[in-house]
Amino acid sequence: MASTDTTARESAGSVEAGLDALETAQSGRTPLGKTLVGKVVPPVTAIVVVLVVWQGLISLKIVDDPTKLPTPAAVWHAVREDWVQGKLLDYIWTSVSRGLLGFCFALLIGTPLGLLVARVRFVRAAIGPILSGLQSLPSVAWVPPAVVWFGLDNSMMYAVILLGAVPSIANGLVSGVDQVPPLFLRAGRTLGATGLRGTWHITLPAALPGYVAGMKQGWAFSWRSLMAAEIIANFPDLGTGLGQLLENARTASDMAMVFEAILLILFVGIAIDLLIFSPLERWVLRSRGLLVKS
């Protein structure tokens, strides 16, 4: 019997030691070299490949008309020229400030709307299908009526952003709330978390994965809606954002500037995702034990 107890203790000790070692390995810091190889090298390689193919199309005379496809050097020259003249950051900030402010307004509207749709059956039956339909409606469709309603000013831009982003945020939150285990809600009610307290402490944290997904999609719709509004609503008093830059380049038939605007729009979209939404998603996954460091 003594030997059996000793063996059991040793087995339990080895299991505990193994778990401790596993936890230590997961919480350790990832080496810099591994981070560079896993995070930096792939996108840099993709960019190099795109530039090589782009230049190859021109060098091999597959596309030999600069009015259709400018060289990478010509696009870089356009970017550098705007940077030297101090215009580049103005273009970016004009659009980014509008986009982020409009997205914050969309969050303030879409969050309570999503909770209302998720928790009240009549409201879901009444406007749930409308929200889904609005989410599938192209953002550019809202620009003409927004111009008529609000005129050519920033309020028109924000209206287009709201109409594009609110349905995605609300639907994302509804999806997250629908996936909350009923046991969580019953446990919350048992502990006195009812009403707004239950929503804040139980429903929203449990629905966070779907809510974050809705926010990410809402930002994508915000950015696309804003670009459509800036391209169509051409007015000097609105300032020159990235969409306006793209439209000006098209009007001037300047393909180098067209590609500059496209690349800047793409750059801002990627930067917002990397700086805001990717860390937020990783935090949500890590807080639920779904993201393990290798």
Side-chain angles (χ1 to χ4, degrees), residues 146-284:
V147 171
V148 174
W149 294 336
F150 301 101
L152 288 171
D153 55 23
N154 280 321
S155 60
M156 177 273 298
M157 301 281 186
Y158 295 133
V160 173
I161 292 173
L162 290 176
L163 290 167
V166 167
S168 295
I169 296 172
N171 281 331
L173 184 53
V174 170
S175 177
V177 172
D178 287 344
Q179 297 176 34
V180 175
L183 180 62
F184 288 8
L185 302 178
R186 289 198 296 268
R189 286 194 292 268
T190 301
L191 296 173
T194 58
L196 291 177
R197 182 179 298 177
T199 299
W200 179 255
H201 293 287
I202 305 296
T203 304
L204 276 178
L208 205 53
Y211 185 37
V212 171
M215 285 194 291
K216 186 174 181 179
Q217 190 176 47
W219 164 252
F221 276 93
S222 295
W223 189 237
R224 293 204 307 242
S225 302
L226 177 60
M227 292 302 102
E230 288 185 351
I231 289 172
I232 296 175
N234 187 344
F235 194 65
D237 290 347
L238 291 174
T240 304
L242 296 177
Q244 183 65 60
L245 175 65
L246 181 60
E247 177 61 17
N248 291 344
R250 184 199 65 81
T251 304
S253 298
D254 188 341
M255 286 304 295
M257 189 183 295
V258 167
F259 273 77
E260 174 194 8
I262 292 173
L263 292 176
L264 288 175
I265 293 170
L266 181 63
F267 168 78
V268 171
I270 293 173
I272 294 295
D273 181 72
L274 291 177
L275 294 175
I276 298 178
F277 293 106
S278 289
L280 184 59
E281 283 182 323
R282 287 196 300 270
W283 174 77
V284 171

